[in-house]
Amino acid sequence: MTKRIGRQTVAFAKPVVIRAAASTVGKKEGEGPLGQYFDEIAEDSMMGEDSWEKAESCFVAENMALVLKKAGLTHEDIQYVLCGDLLNQCMGTTFGIKDLPIPFLGLFGACSTMGEAMSVGAMLIDGGFAEYVLGGASSHFCAAEKQFRFPLPLGIQRPQSATRTVTGDGAVVLAKEGEGPRITMVTTGKIIDMGITDAQNMGAAMAPAAVDLLMAHFKETGRTPQDYDVIVTGDLGYVGHQLVVELMAKEGYDMSENYTDCGILIFDRETQDTHSGGSGCACSAVTFCGYFYPKLCSGEINRMLFIPTGALLSADSAVLGLTIPAVAHGVVIESGKGSCT
């Protein structure tokens, strides 16, 4: 039977397999430090469409088809598709998967959506409700700037605390059995609101949620940061990453050696002018699928704690100057020491 550990953590009776992972990104992401790890790099971030929103849907559609191909499955094999994005009514996702005849559960955890999809998908499989689940998350830099900040044609200067929304889609196929890295635990985060109102400083808004998740995970499992080869948050960037290190140190946890952030890894801060790093639903999704997944397959990483983080603001709340609630979701993944697909 599945074992609940404390209020937020679940340990699966039988680990859920990540059978395949796929990542499709935009041109700027492909030019960054992780470019060689992504499956597909689009030369045109418009994807031949007449709007950024339609382009995001193309990233979703193409990457979902790719991960199914890599898993050696068809849509008929999948019981549920779980995914989401940053746009109103998750339209990037909706129009990207509308032609897939698979039962759909749309998710919104902002930039934590990949962690939410993997967590809920693993629970569905562990509960006996599915044999295969397709999960993913997407975002698009231009669409996100238009919705949450300022349309790009205005040429508004971005502060150094700002992060750049990643353009792309990351997707996984979760399975009841088979070869591949295994999800052994999930820790579901709570909404944390520390009163941050600056939509140009996502790292400061989300870092407390990551810290709250880490504290819950360590207390409920009895583990420490040193029990993991790597701990990676979703998209805190340089500002949020440093805040996590400092706040966790005050709680007695040393995060200085094996902790990093997808928003730091995906762009070169000096040459790509991305300020505090990367963000967006696709940030953690494509970094996990492209960079970390193969390392888990090969055994280079034996155990990781993957914590996508999300700022739960909306276009309306940003205009009204409301605070920015945040959430983080933790997924413990252990090496399958097998081949990657």
Side-chain angles (χ1 to χ4, degrees):
M1 295 294 291
T2 299
K3 183 178 180 182
R4 174 164 290 280
I5 306 172
R7 187 175 185 183
Q8 295 175 246
T9 302
V10 169
F12 297 114
K14 182 180 179 181
V16 173
V17 176
I18 307 176
R19 177 158 172 166
S23 53
T24 300
V25 300
K27 186 172 185 295
K28 192 175 186 74
E29 290 73 17
E31 293 170 344
L34 304 185
Q36 63 180 308
Y37 299 100
F38 300 128
D39 291 298
E40 300 288 344
I41 300 171
E43 286 300 314
D44 174 18
S45 292
M46 289 293 291
M47 299 291 278
E49 297 290 342
D50 59 6
S51 76
W52 297 316
E53 293 82 3
K54 289 181 182 178
E56 183 172 338
S57 294
C58 287
F59 277 99
V60 175
E62 293 191 9
N63 200 55
M64 289 294 184
L66 177 59
V67 77
L68 285 174
K69 180 179 179 180
K70 293 179 73 174
L73 301 171
T74 70
H75 62 79
E76 294 179 347
D77 299 306
I78 308 297
Q79 282 74 54
Y80 295 98
V81 55
L82 312 175
C83 49
D85 57 77
L86 295 174
L87 302 179
N88 289 333
Q89 290 76 50
C90 289
M91 66 171 294
T93 295
T94 303
F95 285 88
I97 67 162
K98 65 183 179 66
D99 293 327
L100 283 177
I102 305 172
F104 169 55
L105 294 172
L107 304 176
F108 180 79
C111 305
S112 72
T113 296
M114 190 63 176
E116 186 177 0
M118 294 170 72
S119 296
V120 175
M123 290 180 188
L124 284 170
I125 290 173
D126 182 78
F129 303 107
E131 184 174 355
Y132 295 108
V133 170
L134 175 60
S138 67
S139 54
H140 195 293
F141 169 64
C142 300
E145 288 295 306
K146 170 185 171 183
Q147 179 158 311
F148 293 105
R149 299 180 183 93
F150 302 98
L152 296 179
L154 293 180
I156 302 296
Q157 185 172 357
R158 303 167 70 239
Q160 290 302 308
S161 62
T163 50
R164 180 185 174 95
T165 300
V166 169
T167 297
D169 181 84
V172 294
V173 171
L174 306 182
K176 181 179 179 180
E177 297 177 342
E179 298 294 326
R182 299 163 297 140
I183 298 175
T184 58
M185 293 182 182
V186 297
T187 300
T188 303
K190 307 188 302 290
I191 293 178
I192 304 297
D193 188 344
M194 298 301 292
I196 303 297
T197 59
D198 184 1
Q200 297 279 12
N201 193 348
M202 295 290 94
M206 294 186 289
V211 169
D212 188 80
L213 188 286
L214 284 162
M215 293 296 296
H217 181 77
F218 293 145
K219 288 179 178 178
E220 292 179 354
T221 64
R223 293 180 176 178
T224 69
Q226 287 64 47
D227 288 312
Y228 294 94
D229 296 322
V230 62
I231 297 172
V232 56
T233 45
D235 52 354
L236 301 181
Y238 290 91
V239 172
H241 176 271
Q242 184 59 36
L243 285 171
V244 168
V245 172
E246 293 175 2
L247 292 171
M248 290 300 291
K250 291 182 179 179
E251 299 292 341
Y253 292 96
D254 181 7
M255 301 282 289
S256 62
E257 293 186 3
N258 61 341
Y259 166 51
T260 188
D261 182 80
C262 297
I264 292 174
L265 296 173
I266 195 165
F267 293 123
D268 186 311
R269 188 183 194 182
E270 302 303 322
T271 63
Q272 292 189 286
D273 191 28
T274 51
H275 298 3
S276 189
S279 63
C281 295
C283 184
S284 61
V286 302
T287 303
F288 173 78
C289 293
Y291 181 67
F292 287 110
Y293 179 75
K295 294 179 182 294
L296 285 157
C297 287
S298 68
E300 182 177 343
I301 295 174
N302 288 309
R303 179 190 286 168
M304 76 178 290
L305 178 54
F306 178 48
I307 311 174
T309 46
L312 305 175
L313 77 166
S314 72
D316 290 335
S317 69
V319 170
L320 294 172
L322 301 181
T323 58
I324 303 173
V327 70
H329 297 299
V331 184
V332 177
I333 308 162
E334 300 192 12
S335 173
K337 295 186 174 65
S339 60
C340 272
T341 55

